[in-house]
Amino acid sequence: MKIKFKFTLAISIILIAFSLILNILIRQVLVYNMENSISRSMEDIMKSSREYVKYRLMVNDKLSDDDILKNDASYISKYISLNYESNSKVMDMQGNILNNDDSNESMGGESKLIANAKKGEAVVKIKYIKDNVQGDMVFPVYINSRYLGIIYLNKSYSDILVTYKNTINTITIIQIIILVIILATSFLITAKITKPVSDLTNAVKKVGEGIYDINIRVNSKDEVGILSMEFINMKEKICNQINTIKNEKEKVEKLEKARRDFFNNVTHELKTPLTAISGYAELLLEGIVTDSDFKNRALERIYSESERLHSLVLELIDISKGISFIEEDVEDIDMKLLISEICDDMSIKAKKYSLEIEQKVSKGTIPGRINKIRELLINILDNAIKYSVGSSPILIKTYIKENFYIIEVVNKGELIPGEVYNNIFQPFTKGSDVREDSRGLGLYICSEIVRMHNGKISIENGEIITANIELPLSGNNLETSL
């Protein structure tokens, strides 16, 4: 059962119980007032009747008091009945009925009342008969210091009972209406109060099911509102942790794939020259080949493949240095001076390809490791030279933007294939139309050097190839172990 129904049920039980108790108390108060009203009415009749009997005694002063009561009993009875809309009987002190019209009527039901009247007591009895209420009263006639007789009254108070019932019905209806209004209001208020709790419960269930794309509106600053805010913070932290775990998992998977590819490529690159060296060496050792020209070619091939293997080993060492960086002093590097020196050196190679290097270099100083920055720029320019098409000059320009020293190396080339471009900074990535023997490690080393200096590197693909390098002028985290 939902909490709002529990609250509503509890409030309903309390209100219904309170309404019933209140209704019973009101009924008792009204009955008490009604009976008091009946008693007062009959007391008034008693007083008036006594006065009338005294009046009759004064008018008929020739007769004794006892004789007057006997002679005027019927008249007194009719007077009381007509004036007070009641039934009455006049009796002597022994309880004998004196008015002739009712002389044969039994008074058995009022015997107890008459017995009290004989003792000089006035007694009122209220009795309920079906849809009517009647008042019985018996009182002695006490005049001139002596009891002359007893008068019995019976009067119907149905009009008072009707008023009482109408009042009770009205009060009950009002109570029911008020109860319904209170219950409806309490239900709405309870629903409003418990809605955040219900929303929070549903949200907890969804989070338990792994659904985190949920929103909770917090419109209050009470305990429920604070709990909702804490839940939202907890959910966001869980989301962030899960996203972090997913990202780390993807990174691990990517690194694992890169590791497998790296070692597969290394194995392949090492196996190729070793196979050639081993094959030619085996031929020479076994003396199968006697041709001196072939022997010379074999020796030259063994030498060239050895050099190739040596270069590959050196590049692998460089990669190892890039991954686990050997400490080098950090210094302020004059980038304009360094780039000018490198361009002058690389111009010699560019001329072999009928190319020129143009410079538009601005002043700038960055903190860094000069040998690594030099290696970075040489690799970028070397790629621009090797992959340029035609005789268009290679442009290197620099400028400062938002606390970064920006280096752009632009050359005209051919569109880089998508498969190569998407993995261009991965080790052993190379195209099929290179001018020189390449193992696809240069740009990978460049990316590692840039990352060491907290910079960014990217390649813009197209007929015009642009290498973009961003190196921060300040805030380098060069002590980070990579």
Side-chain angles (χ1 to χ4, degrees):
M1 183 182 290
K2 291 187 177 180
I3 190 170
K4 65 180 178 181
F5 293 117
K6 290 182 179 180
F7 273 119
T8 305
L9 180 60
I11 293 171
S12 301
I13 292 172
I14 293 171
L15 288 176
I16 290 171
F18 176 76
S19 298
L20 288 174
I21 293 170
L22 181 63
N23 191 272
I24 291 171
L25 290 175
I26 291 172
R27 285 173 183 268
Q28 290 178 348
V29 170
L30 290 176
V31 168
Y32 176 78
N33 290 335
M34 181 185 70
E35 291 181 350
N36 277 346
S37 178
I38 292 173
S39 296
R40 287 194 300 270
S41 174
M42 299 203 77
E43 286 175 3
D44 291 340
I45 294 173
M46 179 186 71
K47 291 176 182 179
S48 298
S49 300
R50 282 178 175 173
E51 292 298 322
Y52 180 71
V53 172
K54 286 182 181 180
Y55 170 75
R56 293 297 300 174
L57 291 175
M58 290 175 61
V59 172
N60 298 310
D61 55 354
K62 294 180 180 181
L63 299 174
S64 64
D65 293 343
D66 294 334
D67 291 337
I68 290 173
L69 189 61
K70 289 178 182 179
N71 291 334
D72 291 349
S74 295
Y75 188 80
I76 292 170
S77 177
K78 289 179 181 179
Y79 172 81
I80 294 171
S81 298
L82 292 172
N83 281 278
Y84 300 108
E85 297 178 353
S86 62
N87 297 320
S88 63
K89 295 180 180 66
V90 180
M91 294 171 281
D92 58 18
M93 290 305 295
Q94 285 73 40
N96 298 316
I97 298 173
L98 300 178
N99 48 319
N100 296 328
D101 51 339
D102 294 327
S103 58
N104 296 322
E105 191 172 332
S106 173
M107 293 293 294
E110 291 77 25
S111 58
K112 291 183 179 180
L113 298 178
I114 294 170
N116 289 331
K118 288 178 181 180
K119 297 176 183 179
E121 298 176 2
V123 182
V124 175
K125 179 183 177 182
I126 299 173
K127 55 187 178 181
Y128 296 89
I129 303 171
K130 293 184 179 180
D131 294 330
N132 191 13
V133 60
Q134 294 181 354
D136 288 343
M137 184 174 191
V138 178
F139 61 92
V141 179
Y142 184 77
I143 297 174
N144 297 330
S145 302
R146 58 190 295 266
Y147 290 104
L148 300 181
I150 299 170
I151 296 177
Y152 165 79
L153 295 175
N154 173 265
K155 181 173 174 59
S156 173
Y157 289 91
S158 59
D159 55 338
I160 294 178
L161 182 63
V162 170
T163 302
Y164 160 77
K165 287 185 176 181
N166 289 337
T167 303
I168 285 295
N169 291 336
T170 302
I171 291 173
T172 302
I173 292 170
I174 292 172
Q175 279 186 309
I176 292 172
I177 293 172
I178 293 173
L179 179 63
V180 171
I181 292 172
I182 292 174
L183 288 177
T185 304
S186 64
F187 179 80
L188 294 175
I189 294 173
T190 303
K192 185 176 180 180
I193 293 172
T194 58
K195 187 178 184 301
V197 179
S198 299
D199 293 342
L200 188 58
T201 302
N202 293 330
V204 170
K205 289 181 180 178
K206 289 183 178 179
V207 169
E209 294 170 357
I211 301 171
Y212 298 97
D213 187 17
I214 50 177
N215 293 317
I216 300 177
R217 295 182 61 185
V218 180
N219 298 320
S220 63
K221 296 182 180 180
D222 55 10
E223 289 81 355
V224 176
I226 294 171
L227 181 61
S228 299
M229 288 299 300
E230 291 299 323
F231 172 79
I232 292 171
N233 293 334
M234 181 191 72
K235 182 205 71 171
E236 290 177 352
K237 288 179 181 178
I238 292 173
C239 266
N240 292 336
Q241 289 294 329
I242 290 174
N243 291 333
T244 301
I245 292 170
K246 287 181 178 178
N247 292 334
E248 292 299 323
K249 182 180 177 182
E250 290 175 359
K251 288 180 181 178
V252 170
E253 291 175 350
K254 189 174 181 180
L255 286 173
E256 179 62 21
K257 183 178 182 299
R259 185 189 66 82
R260 289 195 302 269
D261 294 342
F262 177 82
F263 284 105
N264 289 336
N265 286 321
V266 167
T267 302
H268 175 75
E269 292 293 333
L270 291 174
K271 185 178 179 181
T272 301
L274 286 174
T275 301
I277 292 171
S278 176
Y280 282 115
E282 184 179 356
L283 290 174
L284 293 175
L285 286 173
E286 291 180 356
I288 298 173
V289 179
T290 57
D291 186 356
S292 59
D293 292 336
F294 182 82
K295 288 181 179 179
N296 290 331
R297 287 198 304 272
L299 290 172
E300 288 176 359
R301 186 64 185 276
I302 289 172
Y303 177 77
S304 65
E305 290 297 329
S306 298
E307 286 296 313
R308 180 183 172 193
L309 187 60
H310 179 260
S311 299
L312 178 60
V313 170
L314 290 178
E315 288 186 353
L316 290 175
I317 291 171
D318 286 338
I319 292 174
S320 177
K321 288 179 180 179
I323 295 173
S324 55
F325 185 58
I326 298 174
E327 277 299 325
E328 180 184 342
D329 292 337
V330 177
E331 59 182 291
D332 290 333
I333 303 171
D334 185 341
M335 292 302 294
K336 184 174 183 179
L337 177 61
L338 179 63
I339 292 171
S340 296
E341 291 176 356
I342 294 170
C343 288
D344 290 342
D345 293 340
M346 296 301 293
S347 294
I348 298 171
K349 184 174 183 177
K351 287 178 181 179
K352 287 182 172 184
Y353 294 91
S354 302
L355 297 170
E356 293 182 358
I357 299 176
E358 294 183 358
Q359 302 179 45
K360 292 183 180 179
V361 182
S362 61
K363 292 182 179 181
T365 304
I366 68 166
R369 296 180 171 93
I370 191 167
N371 288 330
K372 287 296 176 183
I373 298 299
R374 185 187 300 276
E375 183 179 0
L376 164 68
L377 295 174
I378 288 173
N379 278 337
I380 294 296
L381 280 172
D382 188 59
N383 271 353
I385 292 169
K386 287 191 294 183
Y387 292 99
S388 285
V389 175
S391 58
S392 296
I394 297 168
L395 173 65
I396 179 167
K397 66 176 181 178
T398 66
Y399 54 92
I400 294 174
K401 181 180 179 182
E402 296 178 356
N403 210 27
F404 277 87
Y405 191 82
I406 313 297
I407 304 170
E408 293 183 358
V409 179
V410 184
N411 68 283
K412 185 177 181 181
E414 294 180 354
L415 183 69
I416 302 171
E419 183 178 353
V420 176
Y421 180 73
N422 293 333
N423 299 283
I424 199 163
F425 293 113
Q426 298 298 321
F428 301 106
T429 299
K430 56 185 178 180
S432 59
D433 55 345
V434 294
R435 292 188 181 181
E436 295 182 3
D437 186 26
S438 172
R439 282 164 290 279
L441 296 173
L443 287 178
Y444 171 72
I445 294 172
C446 289
S447 67
E448 289 298 307
I449 293 172
V450 172
R451 187 165 66 89
M452 289 174 194
H453 290 77
N454 288 333
K456 299 176 183 178
I457 184 170
S458 61
I459 303 291
E460 294 180 11
N461 195 11
E463 292 183 359
I464 302 297
I465 308 295
T466 304
N468 294 290
I469 302 169
E470 299 180 19
L471 297 172
L473 295 172
S474 60
N476 296 52
N477 188 14
L478 299 176
E479 300 304 322
T480 302
S481 178
L482 300 174

